Every structure is written in structure tokens, then in C-alpha cells.
Amino acid sequence: MTVVALGASGGTGRHVVEFALARGVPVRALVRDPARAGFAPRHDLEVVPVDVHDPATVAGALGPEDVLVSTLGSSRKAAPGTLTAGAQAVLAAAPRRIVWMGAAGTGPSAHTTGRFTRTFLAAVMGDHVGDKERADPAVLEGGGVVVHVGRLEDSATTQGHTLVPAARVPRTFSPHGASRREVARLLVEAALDEGVAPGLHLVRRLG
């Protein structure tokens, strides 16, 4: 089994690579530009250029026994429809398992937040909300694990949170955030532990 990290050069994706390698699992890091990714060479890490708007590059980087972990982001610098294109390309490639990071309060997790949070997210994210609302349900319909999290922080924390099925999460005023390293740890655990059922999960604080 290989963990294939989509969005590997991003702030959360780098930690996905870190935690998967620490678990002794080979990693294939999918990035737009390997020369700028900055990963140190090692025998169990392969860095592969892909463009999610070119599905053939994604298909060529994924095998049927691979586990795909996506931290693909949707920034204002990203091309329109990046998340939807990524989801469609990954689903067409049909890896063994898909773990996909999304934003709490959007799309299938909108019911867990209040109107103020949804309005705020729409104002901040603009047209990218629609991209998330197309990509996440597509992954869910394809049998993937979708993990929604609130604000991502750059702290070094790697404990204190868990994944909870969305159906068990009561409505909250504001989505729970977590450090990027903590979220990456949870994504890798969900990728390697098939006891985490397909469907929508939210990051929640323990205790």
C-alpha cells in the first residue's frame, strides 16, 4: 500500500507526508511543480507532478491499491473548479480508498453550524464555496471518507482531537478548528484504519 498525498506541498499536505512516512508507509506526493516542492530525497518518497485539470496525470499517479489523501485547497489564487476537477479525477482513477479534507460549515456539513457561520464562510470563500459543495458530495457518493474541519492553525499540537461521524455532531455556533499537524494526523489515521467508515466526519476536540 502507498499513501498518495494530493496537495502534498501545502501547509497541511506536508504533514500528511510526514505522518505517513512515520508510520512506515511509502508516500507518493502529488504536486504541481516538484522542483518547488522542497521535499528531501528519500527511498520511500516519490514526488510526482500532476495537474488536477488534466485527469490523465492523476490517473497515471494512482494505482488500485493506493490510498489517496487529499488536502487540496481552494484559494483565491486557484483556478476555478480546482476541487471539483480534483475529485472527479481521483474518482475516475479509482484508488483503494479516498480520504478528502473539506471545510466545516459548507456543503454536507452545513447543518452542523448556524446561519451566521454559513453566511460568513460564503462571504470569505466566495465562489469557492460552490466548488467545495460540488467536490465533497461527489467523494461521498463515490464511497470516500470526507473530513470537515474549521479554521486550520499552524501550531505544533498533534493530540487532543478526534473524528466524529457528522450524524452524531450537534449544531454549533462555530466549527471546531485544529492545527494543521493534528488534522494531518487524523487524515492519515483515517486512510490507514479501515475501521473509519466511509462518509462525512468532523474534527472535534476530545473531552
Side-chain angles (χ1 to χ4, degrees):
M1 180 197 304
T2 297
V3 167
V4 180
L6 178 60
S9 60
T12 308
R14 288 184 176 278
H15 293 305
V16 167
V17 173
E18 170 194 349
F19 280 107
L21 291 173
R23 293 279 297 267
V25 181
V27 174
R28 189 174 305 122
L30 308 188
V31 300
R32 285 188 60 86
D33 184 357
R36 298 178 62 184
F39 290 108
R42 49 186 293 167
H43 74 280
D44 50 0
L45 173 61
E46 180 184 10
V47 183
V48 178
V50 299
D51 179 353
V52 295
H53 294 279
D54 180 359
T57 65
V58 178
L62 275 171
E65 293 302 313
D66 292 334
V67 177
L68 185 285
V69 179
S70 173
T71 55
L72 194 64
S74 183
S75 69
R76 295 191 181 278
K77 296 180 180 179
T82 294
L83 291 175
T84 303
Q88 292 173 344
V90 166
L91 288 165
R96 174 178 174 180
R97 187 169 174 86
I98 299 172
V99 178
W100 188 270
M101 185 181 75
T106 66
S109 70
H111 69 281
T112 66
T113 62
R115 181 180 299 177
F116 173 82
T117 296
R118 295 194 299 273
T119 301
F120 174 78
L121 290 172
V124 170
M125 298 170 65
D127 293 340
H128 292 290
V129 171
D131 194 16
K132 289 181 179 293
E133 291 179 343
R134 291 185 293 273
D136 296 358
V139 174
L140 289 172
E141 291 170 10
V145 176
V146 174
V147 175
H148 276 193
V149 63
R151 183 169 60 91
L152 292 168
E153 304 164 354
D154 291 324
S155 71
T157 303
T158 56
Q159 296 294 328
H161 292 75
T162 188
L163 296 182
V164 178
R168 289 168 41 195
V169 175
R171 178 174 292 188
T172 59
F173 177 75
S174 179
H176 288 195
S179 75
R180 292 181 183 277
R181 292 196 77 228
E182 176 80 328
V183 172
R185 178 183 68 82
L186 293 171
L187 293 173
V188 170
E189 288 183 358
L192 300 181
D193 179 5
E194 296 192 3
V196 177
L200 178 64
H201 299 258
L202 281 87
V203 173
R204 308 295 287 182
R205 295 186 186 92
L206 291 169

